[in-house]
Amino acid sequence: MKLASLKNGKRDGALIVVSRDLTRAVAADDIAPTLQAAIENWQQVVPALQARSDALNAGTAAGAFAFDQTKVASPLPRAYQWLDGSAYLSHVELVRKARGADMPKSFLDDPLMYQGSSDYFTGPHDPVLVESEDWGVDLEAELAIITDDVPMLTKQDDAKRHIKLLMLVNDISLRHIIPAELNKGFGFLNGKGVTAFSPVAVTPDELGDAWNGSKVSLPLTVNINGEKLGAPLAGEDVYFEFPKLISHAAKTRTLGAGTVIGSGTISNHDRTRGFCCISEKRALEVVEHGEAKTSFFRFGDRVRVEMFDTSGASIFGAIDNEIRPYAS
């Protein structure tokens, strides 16, 4: 089942069901007005949503219409909680190596995670607005999950059942702002300004054999201005799988239904697969050549993030954001 939030002038949009091939959609706001309402009442609404999805895919859904990815918000246009991990230590290792820093041994046992801004997510085809190119505008292409209510102290083995939906993420990072913030010893704030998600969120069954309950074994493709930056394999070199990230986040708190947890930048030790962020490419250039050649985003640049199944079909739709100057 694939779900999306149609823009309707309201903060949370209207829930729609989208066909498996992403060509058709049908309203579902009579079942649950928004995706947040659906996730809060998941067991009650899933049968009706699934029935509507089945009818849509069979071509028998009343009121079906053409699905336009540019007309939807992120699946959750806003969320009560957005937590981003760093599951791929090959990313952390390379970026730290470029600045002459070793990776602490604690990183092998205790996942990195920050709590980001979630009161407004950028739409999958909306512009990314920043004041200045000098901020060092970068992307981080990731996978994310949406959970139902997760009790505090949920163990890793029990965490799988709380994963209800998956999405793609473009987590914008402002590389020239982040270092000064981290030096304060209090984490990110201004360095993480904008986050966009894929047009649709999908139930795990939509991934077929590529989903094992913990990770997705497919490449994630990133293009900048039509040129491929990379297609790292999401199922390889993932040190902390999603159940571990859930368990880590729930160590001292309950996670409310609609909590979004990101994987962090997908990254492989095999650098020939390319990259899911510019900073990692720059880091490799520093390690190999002594200086970075690749620049961060300029105004007018476009980034496209997409995942395809083994037959070449897009699973989540595409995140396609243009970088534009913010005008108050």
Side-chain angles (χ1 to χ4, degrees), residues 1-4 35 75 146 165-167 198-203 316:
M1 182 165 55
K2 299 188 177 186
L3 303 174
L35 184 57
I146 301 176
L165 294 164
L166 293 100
M167 307 180 287
S198 51
V200 302
V202 310
T203 49
F316 302 89

Side-chain angles (χ1 to χ4, degrees), residues 74-144:
S74 285
L76 283 174
R78 54 178 176 171
Y80 288 112
Q81 185 159 223
W82 155 234
L83 306 171
D84 200 14
S86 191
Y88 297 84
L89 294 186
S90 54
H91 167 74
V92 179
E93 188 176 42
L94 177 58
V95 171
R96 292 179 69 89
K97 184 177 181 180
R99 65 173 189 260
D102 293 328
M103 187 172 69
K105 291 183 178 180
S106 63
F107 284 19
L108 300 175
D109 303 310
D110 194 25
L112 290 169
M113 186 173 284
Y114 80 91
Q115 188 168 29
S117 171
S118 61
D119 49 341
Y120 172 77
F121 291 137
T122 294
H125 286 254
D126 292 345
V128 167
L129 302 176
V130 294
E131 183 185 29
S132 173
E133 295 174 345
D134 295 338
W135 284 354
V137 186
D138 194 3
L139 81 147
E140 293 193 25
E142 316 175 12
L143 280 158

Side-chain angles (χ1 to χ4, degrees), residues 158-241:
D158 296 327
K160 291 182 181 181
R161 64 186 180 89
H162 293 289
I163 300 172
K164 300 307 178 187
L165 294 164
L166 293 100
M167 307 180 287
L168 302 182
V169 190
N170 177 16
D171 181 36
I172 294 294
S173 295
L174 306 176
R175 301 298 183 185
H176 295 159
I177 291 178
I178 287 173
E181 285 199 306
L182 293 182
N183 286 339
K184 296 178 182 179
F186 218 52
F188 298 120
L189 179 65
N190 291 321
K192 292 286 190 176
V194 172
T195 310
F197 294 86
S198 51
V200 302
V202 310
T203 49
D205 60 287
E206 291 289 337
L207 294 162
D209 293 340
W211 173 252
N212 71 349
S214 300
K215 64 180 180 179
V216 179
S217 294
L218 289 168
L220 182 61
T221 301
V222 178
N223 289 281
I224 296 176
N225 298 329
E227 295 186 6
K228 183 180 286 188
L229 179 65
L233 299 172
E236 292 190 10
D237 304 315
V238 51
Y239 202 83
F240 300 112
E241 297 178 1

Side-chain angles (χ1 to χ4, degrees), residues 56 296 299 322:
L56 180 64
F296 291 119
F299 293 140
E322 181 181 357

Side-chain angles (χ1 to χ4, degrees), residues 275-293:
F275 311 98
C276 280
C277 69
I278 296 172
S279 66
E280 194 170 308
K281 183 178 182 181
R282 286 168 56 89
L284 186 62
E285 291 169 347
V286 170
V287 170
E288 293 185 343
H289 308 294
E291 62 177 334
K293 303 287 189 180

